[in-house]
C-alpha cells in the first residue's frame, strides 16, 4: 500500500526560540547585525534578482547551502550538505573567488580555514550564529582547562570538539593535541582520543558526546560528568574529574534539545509501526527510545533507502524534514515534535539577505566577509587535519 505524506502537523514556536540570534555579542561566534541595505521581502523580483546577480558572477561565485536552510535560499545553492562537506566542497573549487555560505557563522569560519587565501567567504547575515557554538567561549574553555590542570587530569585529557564550535574552540583543540569531529565520525574521533589519553573533554554538545560514548562505545552514564561553565570549577569536584572518562561541556542544540521522550511516545501512539529516527544531538533518553540514530546525511540516506509505504518520525530541523517529506511522497514522513522546530539563526539567511550579498558582489563590493586570524586558523587547522587523518 502506498501512503502519501501528510502535511506536517506543527504549531508556532515559542517566542524565545525565535529571538535567538537577534542580539549581537562580539565575544561570541555569533557576529553582529547585518549592516546592509536589504531589499524588501515583499519585492516580487527577488528570485529574478538573485538569478541575475549569480549569473553575472558566473564561476567567480560558489553558493553553499546547509541542509537546514529555507527552500527560498536552497534553490540557489550550487551544492548542499552538512557544514564539513560544504567547507570541503568550497576548498575543491579554487576558481571560485567568492564563497557565499548559506548557513551559520561557525560554518563560514570553517570554510575560511579550509579554503585558500585567494577565496573570500561571505555570510549573507552576520547575525546568523549558532546557539550551541555560543555556549562555549574561548575564555570559558581556557578556565575549564585550568580547572582540569588543578585537578591533575589535564595531562591525560584529550579535547574532542564538535564541528559546531567557533574557530577559537577549534584552535584550543588543536593547541592541546585534540581533534574535531562531526556527528558522522564522533565514534572514530573518541576511539582515537582514548588511544592518546585516558579522558576526553568533549565540546560543546554534551548530548553528542554522551550518546556516542554510552550508545556506541559501551561507557556508562556514570563515566560521564558535565562541566558547567556557569558554576565555580564547572560545578564538579576534582575527584569527579579524576573518576570520569568523559568530561562533557554543558552545551546543547536549541533545536534538537527540544525533542522529548513524550514526543517519541506520542508519535508511536499516533502512528502504529512508525520508525523513529533522530539526530545524535538529541537528549540521551530520546536517542535511547528511538529506533535509529544518525547524522543529517544518515537521515537523508535512510529515507532514500526506506521502502515505499513505510512510516517515519524524524527528530531534526524542520526545513529538512519538510523537504524530505516532499521528496518522498511514497513514504509517510512526519516531524517528531508537535511544535515548530526551525533553527531560528539558520533561518536568518533569507532571500533578501542572499540577494543583497550577491548583488553587492556583482557590483564588486565584498560584504560580510568572515575571516579567521592567522594564528587561530593555524591551530584550528591542526585539529581539522587530525580529524581528516582519523583511522
Ligand atoms: S541546528 Fe542547532 S547546532 Fe545547528 S546551527 Fe542551529 S542551533 Fe546550531
Amino acid at each position: 500500500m502506498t501512503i502519501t505524506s501528510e502535511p506536517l502537523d506543527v504549531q508556532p514556536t515559542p517566542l524565545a526560540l525565535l529571538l535567538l540570534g537577534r542580539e549581537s555579542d562580539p565575544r561570541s561566534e555569533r557576529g553582529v547585525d547585518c549592516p546592509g541595505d536589504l531589499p524588501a521581502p515583499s519585492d516580487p523580483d527577488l528570485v529574478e534578482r538573485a538569478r541575475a546577480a549569480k549569473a553575472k558572477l558566473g564561476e567567480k561565485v560558489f553558493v553553499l547551502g546547509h541542509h537546514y536552510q529555507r527552500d527560498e535560499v536552497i534553490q540557489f545553492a550550487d551544492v548542499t550538505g552538512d557544514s564539513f562537506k560544504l567547507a570541503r566542497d568550497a576548498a575543491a573549487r579554487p576558481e571560485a573567488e567568492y564563497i557565499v555560505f548559506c548557513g551559520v557563522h561557525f560554518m563560514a569560519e570553517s570554510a575560511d580555514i579550509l579554503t585558500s587565501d585567494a577565496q573570500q567567504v561571505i555570510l549573507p547575515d552576520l547575525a546568523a550564529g549558532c546557539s550551541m557554538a555560543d555556549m562555549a567561549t574561548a575564555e570559558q574553555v581556557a578556565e575549564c582547562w585550568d580547572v582540569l590542570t588543578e585537578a591533575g587530569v589535564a595531562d591525560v585529557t584529550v579535547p574532542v570538539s564538535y564541528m559546531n564550535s567557533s574557530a577559537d574552540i577549534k584552535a584550543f583543540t588543536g593547541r592541546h593535541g585534540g581533534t574535531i569531529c562531526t556527528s558522522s565520525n564522533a565514534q572514530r574521533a573518541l576511539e582515537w582520543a582514548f588511544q592518546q589519553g585516558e579522558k576526553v573533554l568533549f565540546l560543546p554538545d554534551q548530548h553528542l558526546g554522551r550518546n556516542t560514548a554510552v550508545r556506541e562505545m559501551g561507557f556508562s552514564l556514570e563515566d560521564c560528568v558535565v562541566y558547567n561553565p556557569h558554576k565555580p570549577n564547572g560545578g564538579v569536584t576534582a575527584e569527579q574529574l579524576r573518576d570520569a572518562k568523559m568530561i562533557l561541556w554543558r552545551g546543547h542544540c536549541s533545536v534538537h534539545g527540544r525533542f522529548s521522550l513524550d514526543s517519541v511516545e506520542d508519535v508511536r501512539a499516533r502512528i502504529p509501526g512508525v520508525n523513529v529516527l533522530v539526530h545524535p544531538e538529541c537528549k540521551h533518553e530520546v536517542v535511547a527510545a528511538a529506533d535509529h540514530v544518525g547524522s543529517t546525511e544518515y537521515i537523508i540516506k535512510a529515507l532514500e533507502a526506506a521502502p515505499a509505504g513505510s512510516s517515519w518520525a524524524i527528530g531534526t530541523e524542520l526545513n529538512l524534514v519538510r523537504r524530505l517529506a516532499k521528496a518522498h511522497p511514497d513514504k509517510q514522513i512526519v516531524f517528531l515534535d508537535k511544535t515548530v522546530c526551525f533553527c531560528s539563526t539558520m533561518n536568518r539567511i533569507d532571500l533578501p539577505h542572499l540577494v543583497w550579498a550577491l548583488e553587492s558582489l556583482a557590483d564588486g563590493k565584498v560584504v560580510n566577509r568572515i575571516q579567521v586570524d592567522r594564528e587561530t586558523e593555524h591551530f584550528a587547522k591542526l585539529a581539522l587535519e587530525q580529524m581528516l587523518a582519523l583511522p
Side-chain angles (χ1 to χ4, degrees):
M1 179 180 64
T2 301
I3 300 174
T4 329
S5 68
E6 64 186 24
L8 299 171
D9 176 22
V10 288
Q11 292 143 20
T13 315
L15 191 62
L17 195 65
L18 289 173
L19 291 177
L20 268 175
R22 274 281 173 89
E23 302 297 320
S24 64
D25 174 3
R27 288 178 314 140
S28 80
E29 68 83 46
R30 188 182 293 157
V32 294
D33 287 335
C34 182
D37 245 345
L38 296 178
S42 55
D43 182 340
D45 298 329
L46 285 180
V47 169
E48 204 34 60
R49 285 173 64 176
R51 226 173 253 148
K54 198 162 176 257
K56 189 171 168 194
L57 285 157
E59 297 266 289
K60 275 167 82 174
V61 74
F62 193 47
V63 180
L64 309 177
H66 189 271
H67 286 310
Y68 300 168
Q69 288 288 302
R70 301 158 178 264
D71 287 350
E72 70 186 41
V73 167
I74 218 88
Q75 64 178 318
F76 291 103
D78 292 306
V79 62
T80 59
D82 62 20
S83 60
F84 183 59
K85 175 184 177 288
L86 292 175
R88 291 185 81 180
D89 286 347
R93 287 288 290 259
E95 69 280 13
E97 200 179 314
Y98 306 126
I99 306 299
V100 175
F101 208 128
C102 299
V104 296
H105 199 266
F106 78 80
M107 299 177 182
E109 283 185 331
S110 301
D112 184 53
I113 291 166
L114 291 176
T115 49
S116 75
D117 287 350
Q119 292 174 289
Q120 305 188 57
V121 178
I122 285 103
L123 183 66
D125 185 347
L126 289 180
C130 162
S131 54
M132 179 201 285
D134 282 347
M135 289 175 193
T137 66
E139 293 84 2
Q140 290 171 331
V141 174
E143 203 180 304
C144 168
W145 200 249
D146 288 345
V147 172
L148 266 56
T149 305
E150 277 286 301
V153 299
D155 286 349
V156 292
T157 300
V158 179
V160 176
S161 294
Y162 190 21
M163 194 71 190
N164 300 17
S165 57
S166 67
D168 282 341
I169 302 308
K170 290 188 177 79
F172 163 88
T173 309
R175 269 193 198 96
H176 293 280
T179 186
I180 306 303
C181 73
T182 65
S183 48
S184 307
N185 65 15
Q187 183 180 349
R188 274 192 289 138
L190 287 184
E191 284 165 356
W192 170 85
F194 279 113
Q195 285 163 9
Q196 319 304 310
E198 294 168 19
K199 300 174 194 298
V200 163
L201 169 63
F202 195 90
L203 299 150
D205 182 18
Q206 58 168 309
H207 300 305
L208 178 64
R210 185 182 294 108
N211 288 330
T212 310
V214 175
R215 188 176 182 275
E216 317 291 343
M217 297 171 69
F219 286 101
S220 70
L221 288 172
E222 289 69 43
D223 289 324
C224 308
V225 287
V226 176
Y227 181 95
N228 182 346
H230 301 291
K231 287 193 173 168
N233 293 324
V236 280
T237 63
E239 198 187 346
Q240 284 175 307
L241 289 172
R242 283 195 283 270
D243 288 346
K245 300 296 278 177
M246 289 288 291
I247 303 165
L248 304 169
W249 191 264
R250 194 172 183 275
H252 65 273
C253 165
S254 325
V255 174
H256 294 98
R258 286 169 55 80
F259 298 110
S260 66
L261 199 49
D262 282 351
S263 348
V264 178
E265 285 164 2
D266 182 62
V267 83
R268 288 202 194 283
R270 276 190 293 128
I271 309 175
V274 70
N275 293 282
V276 177
L277 168 53
V278 302
H279 194 280
E281 286 172 23
C282 295
K283 291 178 200 139
H284 186 64
E285 66 260 31
V286 173
V287 160
D291 301 304
H292 309 272
V293 182
S295 64
T296 304
E297 296 288 343
Y298 175 94
I299 292 172
I300 294 169
K301 289 200 177 103
L303 291 176
E304 274 166 12
S310 55
S311 305
W312 296 81
I314 312 297
T316 193
E317 207 269 350
L318 184 55
N319 275 316
L320 175 64
V321 180
R322 279 186 172 165
R323 264 199 297 278
L324 289 169
K326 217 163 145 189
H328 299 287
D330 59 332
K331 297 157 204 173
Q332 184 185 23
I333 296 173
V334 301
F335 189 59
L336 178 57
D337 204 57
K338 284 216 118 189
T339 54
V340 171
C341 213
F342 290 114
C343 174
S344 58
T345 48
M346 281 268 184
N347 265 339
R348 293 193 67 102
I349 310 290
D350 55 11
L351 204 44
H353 282 90
L354 182 62
V355 167
W356 171 70
L358 289 172
E359 287 183 345
S360 302
L361 291 173
D363 289 344
K365 191 170 155 224
V366 177
V367 290
N368 287 8
R369 182 173 178 194
I370 302 298
Q371 212 171 0
V372 176
D373 69 77
R374 293 255 171 213
E375 197 193 333
T376 307
E377 178 172 312
H378 170 75
F379 287 105
K381 212 168 186 172
L382 282 184
L384 283 162
E385 280 166 357
Q386 178 49 61
M387 175 174 79
L388 293 175
L390 285 175

